[in-house]
Amino acid sequence: QVQLAESGGGSVQAGGALRLSCQASGDIYKDNCIAWLRQVPGKEREGVARIYTGDGDLRYADAVRGRFTISLDNSENTVYLQMNSLRPEDSGMYYCAAGRTGRGPCTRWPELHMGQGTQVTVSS
């Protein structure tokens, strides 16, 4: 049973854009914290952007603020990550993650449920 399904990764040149999608099962999506995390070999996984589906409260990592946008489509139980002005350092495996972090908006990066990941490669 797939609970989080990512899509939209690929290869682009620096300055380009990609949009990632994460479709969640209904029980995962509703009133939950859903985030995009990324990881490159040899480094720890890091949070990129997160959103609370209950009210849309969101947060970005400093490295992506102003370039990435996280958004919801409640009719499709889908969370999007629009990535603009991509840089080589944005390359990595991007994971959709979900989990309640308390009552209401996200208080930390969730990792209870994780998708399989989608690869993003940005060349200089």
Side-chain angles (χ1 to χ4, degrees):
Q1 179 181 356
V2 177
Q3 296 181 310
L4 294 170
E6 303 106 330
S7 61
S11 298
V12 295
Q13 290 191 327
L18 286 171
R19 188 177 78 158
L20 306 183
S21 301
C22 173
Q23 186 167 39
S25 59
D27 57 339
I28 296 295
Y29 185 86
K30 182 177 173 57
D31 295 333
N32 211 349
C33 183
I34 298 182
W36 287 98
L37 314 177
R38 68 185 179 193
Q39 188 167 24
V40 297
K43 293 187 177 181
E44 290 189 359
R45 190 158 50 211
E46 63 176 353
V48 175
R50 68 192 191 207
I51 191 164
Y52 178 62
T53 61
D55 63 6
D57 183 76
L58 51 80
R59 178 174 178 176
Y60 297 98
D62 290 344
V64 306
R65 188 176 294 112
R67 300 187 296 121
F68 291 12
T69 302
I70 191 169
S71 61
L72 304 173
D73 183 340
N74 292 327
S75 67
E76 298 290 336
N77 287 358
T78 298
V79 176
Y80 297 102
L81 184 68
Q82 177 66 44
M83 305 186 295
N84 297 329
S85 301
L86 282 162
R87 304 167 180 169
E89 55 265 37
D90 293 319
S91 297
M93 186 67 79
Y94 282 68
Y95 297 92
C96 181
R100 289 184 173 83
T101 60
R103 293 183 179 179
C106 310
T107 57
R108 61 183 182 273
W109 301 102
E111 293 192 11
L112 180 61
H113 304 283
M114 298 280 288
Q116 294 298 309
T118 185
Q119 180 69 39
V120 171
T121 303
V122 184
S123 58
S124 57

